[in-house]
Amino acid sequence: MSLSPGGPIATAMPGFESRPGQLRMALAWAEALEEPRVLVTEAATGIGKTLAYLVPAILSGRKTIVSTGTRTLQQQLMENDIPLVRDILQYPFSCAVLKGRGNYLCLRRWKRFRAEPLFEFAREAGYFSAMRAFAETTRTGDVSECAGVPEDARVWGEVNARSEMCDASTCGETERCHLAAARRRAADADLVVVNHHLFFADLALRERLGPGRGGEEGRFGEVLPRADAVVFDEAHGIEETASVFFGVTVSLGRARELARDVKRSAAKAGGGWDALPPMAERFRLVAESAFDAVGDGEARFALPAPSAGTPFGQKASSLLRAGEELALSLSDGVLHRERGSDAAGTDPGSDRDPLLRRVRSFIDDLGSVLSSDSASAVAWAERHGASVSLHRTPVEVSPILSEALWRERIPYLLTSATLSVSGDLSYFRDRVGLARVDARELIVDNEFDFAGRALFYVPQGLPDPSDSAFPAAAAAETREILSFSGGGALVLCTSYRMLSALREALRGTLPHTLYVQGDAPRGHLLRAFREGEDTVLIGTGTFWEGVDVPGASLRCVVIDKLPFASPSDPVTSARIRVLRDRGADPFMEYQLPEAVLSLRQGVGRLLRRGDDYGVVALLDRRVTTRGYGELFRSNLPPARWTDDRADVAAFFRRFRGEMKKEEKG
């Protein structure tokens, strides 16, 4: 085996250490590839799971799709792990990365934008020269490669290859299309690296199209090529990602953008489109009124029942009518054009067809949200400042995945550092539809020295997290902990409300640079945090996972409280209701296991390599005072627990002293 002692990897890599867990995982995956079958593997941080699945997949000769949870891991695979395997194995294979359509530059849209640059935000106008240089030199069209322009810049929406803006039948750039080229490379490659968002968007599309209409032999939709094996890395995230793409989302921003684009096209077209601008403006105003009527809640909250008697129901119905009227006018314009009317002569290119598709898609999605069956799906809204969106989410995706995914008779690997609860993988398997699938299981334990290099600290005397005094007390305790660690801390919050409270309490009071989620894009914050050894980063949500900062830059993780999902969250509430209706105990069978896995994810940010050290401070006394606290403690790595702040100070003094000795030596 390539990963065994004395194998080609050990020979080619100076300092390579054969890891028993890595070898066990690689052998199990090699067997699954031969049979074929599903393999579910929990592989702790540090065992080298990417090599454990890449080497067998490549040597098997099977065309393999590797789906990752984050762009960071996708980039790491392409830039580090896969080139390493290629150099070591000296085995010929081809590899391609494939991203969602919005990540690629559309040459047709770029030409139009270049002729008349329109920036939604004036501050982004300075990006134009960098975009032009990128468009003239890029070989891939991947917007992440455009130096000087953030990937999340709104202007990319003007020039990317979104499906609703694409009409291959009228496009003069099909031979040079970056998206088409990326798909061709993926179709020809032995190994294709994607992310969960693209994988499940494609799978959901295939299911909507039906058998025989989703690509070759109906497999993996319009984008992903046929695969002989699939790896889900960071598999703990596939339930939530699948829920998004087997659901529906419609936003106020989408309505505004649609109205804006209709008016822009009408302005270019002249007389033939005179009736459209006022209709588009009415559509926008009605949309703003309807989205405003969803309620005053922040973050996620239940959508009001869309019955005709409620303000939201009335305004939502008005929005549907306004959309239908706009679609009808656009459709009539298409008919006039086909008949050769004078109006057709003023039609600017193929604007009308994409706009019509977008209006119809908006109407369909809004109608789907409003007609959600409460037994199988939940309708909810999300508000962050001026941004409002409506969602329809399936309460459970396990039946969908059972039918749509696992019926394929190819080998699948699902792997992550956090899949099990108390050494049992059945909870994860149930959530992703593998309960009745004959899957092999493997748990590879952590090989780091947590007992010697980590400490768990639960402070004495803090109020209960439900107490109004908790945020101030948690901030004061965090300040004390940071004085011992000297910074180098990731502070993980369970809510935006707590994040805001800590930001207000700590900003300007610490002798360390403080970064807070929302101050800049996630990638920028992580890069700055990683490069500054004594900085502090406060985050919530996605910062609980996918943060890989080895070394002294991250030597302390502070967690505000046990990460129970709020029962008031509409999706959580719906899942609780379904379990209760079945006679199950939602707390024991859903809320507690989810919280355990989330806590394990947060704690997993601390030790990323063998020479790391640090403290996890959990500011929630329930982990030691409640009966369920034992389940949390037993699911964390074996390390010493303390409630004495002096132990934290002593721990950091000891390791700082050891590091100074090493530097002198």
Side-chain angles (χ1 to χ4, degrees):
M1 182 68 187
S2 299
L3 295 168
S4 61
I9 292 182
T11 303
M13 285 182 66
F16 174 81
E17 296 180 6
S18 179
R19 302 167 183 173
Q22 183 184 58
L23 185 57
R24 286 174 60 208
M25 178 178 171
L27 290 171
W29 177 224
E31 291 175 7
L33 285 162
E34 288 294 323
E35 292 182 1
R37 69 186 303 172
V38 177
L39 173 64
V40 182
T41 300
E42 180 175 273
T45 301
I47 74 151
K49 67 178 183 296
T50 52
L51 288 182
Y53 65 67
L54 284 175
V55 171
I58 291 165
L59 294 179
S60 74
R62 288 180 175 269
K63 184 180 182 73
T64 302
I65 290 176
V66 177
S67 179
T68 73
T70 62
R71 289 182 182 178
T72 301
L73 181 53
Q74 200 175 12
Q75 184 175 352
Q76 176 186 312
L77 283 167
M78 293 301 297
E79 295 181 359
N80 301 328
D81 299 325
I82 291 171
L84 175 64
V85 171
R86 177 177 279 113
D87 290 343
I88 290 169
L89 291 182
Q90 295 296 304
Y91 184 86
F93 70 94
S94 56
C95 179
V97 63
L98 192 58
K99 299 181 180 180
R101 304 180 63 119
N103 292 279
Y104 295 97
L105 181 74
C106 171
L107 293 174
R108 180 179 63 86
R109 297 186 73 206
W110 165 252
K111 283 185 176 180
R112 297 180 63 177
F113 181 82
R114 182 183 59 192
E116 187 179 358
L118 294 173
F119 291 87
E120 184 176 357
F121 297 108
R123 66 178 181 272
E124 293 191 352
Y127 295 152
F128 182 74
S129 59
M131 293 174 67
R132 181 171 54 193
F134 166 73
E136 293 172 353
T137 59
T138 180
R139 299 180 63 184
T140 66
D142 186 338
V143 299
S144 68
E145 298 174 3
C146 180
V149 183
E151 290 180 58
D152 58 354
R154 290 289 290 273
V155 69
W156 286 125
E158 302 283 347
V159 296
N160 64 13
R162 290 184 298 169
S163 59
E164 66 269 22
M165 311 297 276
C166 182
D167 189 351
S169 64
T170 61
C171 180
E173 299 290 344
T174 52
E175 294 300 316
R176 300 172 57 230
C177 176
H178 293 302
L179 174 62
R183 290 180 178 177
R184 287 193 296 269
R185 289 192 294 270
D188 294 338
D190 301 309
L191 188 69
V192 182
V193 180
V194 303
N195 58 41
H196 296 343
H197 283 76
L198 177 59
F199 188 95
F200 286 103
D202 191 70
L203 182 64
L205 175 63
R206 173 164 63 97
E207 289 301 296
R208 286 195 295 271
L209 292 174
R213 295 183 60 201
E216 184 178 354
E217 297 186 11
R219 284 186 173 181
F220 302 128
E222 69 158 351
V223 177
L224 300 188
R226 174 177 175 171
D228 302 314
V230 175
V231 175
F232 291 109
D233 201 342
E234 298 176 320
H236 61 274
I238 67 176
E239 179 189 8
E240 291 307 314
T241 305
S243 295
V244 170
F245 290 102
F246 281 98
V248 173
T249 297
V250 60
S251 68
L252 176 57
R254 180 175 163 189
R256 286 171 169 163
E257 183 182 55
L258 181 52
R260 181 202 67 192
D261 289 350
V262 170
K263 288 186 283 187
R264 279 184 183 176
S265 292
K268 296 175 186 175
W273 287 47
D274 284 349
L276 285 172
M279 296 187 71
E281 179 62 10
R282 179 176 180 274
F283 174 78
R284 181 186 69 83
L285 293 172
V286 173
E288 290 180 349
S289 178
F291 278 87
D292 185 61
V294 300
D296 298 325
E298 277 292 323
R300 293 157 59 121
F301 55 96
L303 190 66
S307 59
T310 65
F312 171 68
Q314 293 171 348
K315 293 180 178 183
S317 296
S318 297
L319 178 56
L320 286 173
R321 287 194 299 272
E324 292 285 0
E325 291 169 2
L326 187 57
L328 182 61
S329 293
L330 284 164
S331 181
D332 285 346
V334 171
L335 291 175
H336 293 328
R337 185 187 63 201
E338 290 171 350
R339 293 169 186 159
S341 70
D342 292 340
T346 60
D347 186 27
S350 57
D351 275 7
R352 205 182 289 260
D353 293 334
L355 287 170
L356 178 58
R357 286 198 302 270
R358 290 170 63 188
V359 174
R360 285 177 171 163
S361 175
F362 183 93
I363 297 168
D364 290 345
D365 289 349
L366 178 59
S368 179
V369 171
L370 298 177
S371 62
S372 294
D373 177 4
S374 60
S376 61
V378 55
W380 54 283
E382 185 169 26
R383 184 192 299 276
H384 289 294
S387 175
V388 189
S389 55
L390 312 180
H391 306 263
R392 177 186 182 275
T393 300
V395 177
E396 296 177 303
V397 293
S398 55
I400 300 172
L401 295 182
S402 179
E403 177 64 21
L405 190 56
W406 313 126
R407 68 187 178 197
E408 298 285 353
R409 295 291 300 166
I410 61 174
Y412 290 93
L413 170 65
L414 298 91
T415 185
S416 169
T418 53
L419 298 179
S420 72
V421 178
S422 300
D424 187 348
L425 291 163
S426 60
Y427 174 76
F428 170 75
R429 290 183 57 176
D430 287 347
R431 301 301 302 179
V432 298
L434 285 171
R436 293 184 175 87
V437 175
D438 180 21
R440 181 178 176 185
E441 298 181 353
L442 176 66
I443 296 178
V444 182
D445 292 330
N446 207 303
E447 297 177 1
F448 290 154
D449 180 18
F450 265 86
R453 304 188 69 84
L455 178 71
F456 289 110
Y457 168 54
V458 181
Q460 303 179 50
L462 283 186
D464 189 86
S466 61
D467 192 311
S468 61
F470 177 75
E477 184 65 43
T478 299
R479 198 178 293 110
E480 292 291 336
I481 294 166
L482 297 179
S483 71
F484 300 139
S485 72
L490 175 64
V491 182
L492 297 174
C493 301
T494 52
S495 67
Y496 285 99
R497 181 178 300 176
M498 191 65 190
L499 181 143
S500 297
L502 289 180
R503 178 185 60 214
E504 294 305 314
L506 297 178
R507 179 154 280 168
T509 69
L510 297 176
H512 316 293
T513 301
L514 179 65
Y515 299 109
V516 182
Q517 180 178 348
D519 289 349
R522 183 179 187 272
H524 294 188
L525 291 174
L526 287 174
R527 191 177 307 114
F529 177 64
R530 188 179 293 111
E531 293 172 356
E533 284 198 358
D534 299 329
T535 57
V536 178
L537 172 60
I538 305 177
T540 187
T542 60
F543 285 83
W544 283 71
E545 56 185 81
V547 174
D548 186 10
V549 183
S553 292
L554 205 173
R555 53 189 178 270
C556 182
V557 173
V558 180
I559 297 174
D560 67 339
K561 58 183 178 179
L562 296 174
F564 286 108
S566 171
S568 63
D569 177 85
V571 178
T572 300
S573 177
R575 290 172 177 170
I576 289 172
R577 186 195 68 242
V578 166
L579 289 169
R580 188 175 289 125
D581 290 346
R582 293 176 185 163
D585 182 344
F587 182 77
M588 296 302 296
E589 297 189 24
Y590 171 58
Q591 293 166 276
L592 186 56
E594 282 292 313
V596 167
L597 290 172
S598 294
L599 183 62
R600 292 184 63 201
Q601 275 291 326
V603 170
R605 301 311 99 210
L606 185 64
L607 300 193
R608 307 299 297 177
R609 64 188 189 195
D611 60 349
D612 283 354
Y613 70 93
V615 171
V616 174
L618 178 57
L619 310 183
D620 189 341
R621 64 184 184 182
R622 293 177 297 176
V623 76
T624 58
T625 61
R626 299 289 180 90
Y628 55 72
E630 171 57 29
L631 185 66
F632 284 100
R633 298 196 304 275
S634 65
N635 273 275
L636 296 177
R640 180 188 168 202
W641 288 76
T642 183
D643 61 3
D644 189 344
R645 195 185 288 165
D647 290 337
V648 178
F651 178 92
F652 282 114
R653 279 199 305 270
R654 176 165 68 90
F655 275 94
R656 273 197 294 268
E658 291 180 4
M659 291 179 67
K660 287 180 180 178
K661 288 180 182 178
E662 292 176 3
E663 290 172 1
K664 290 180 180 179

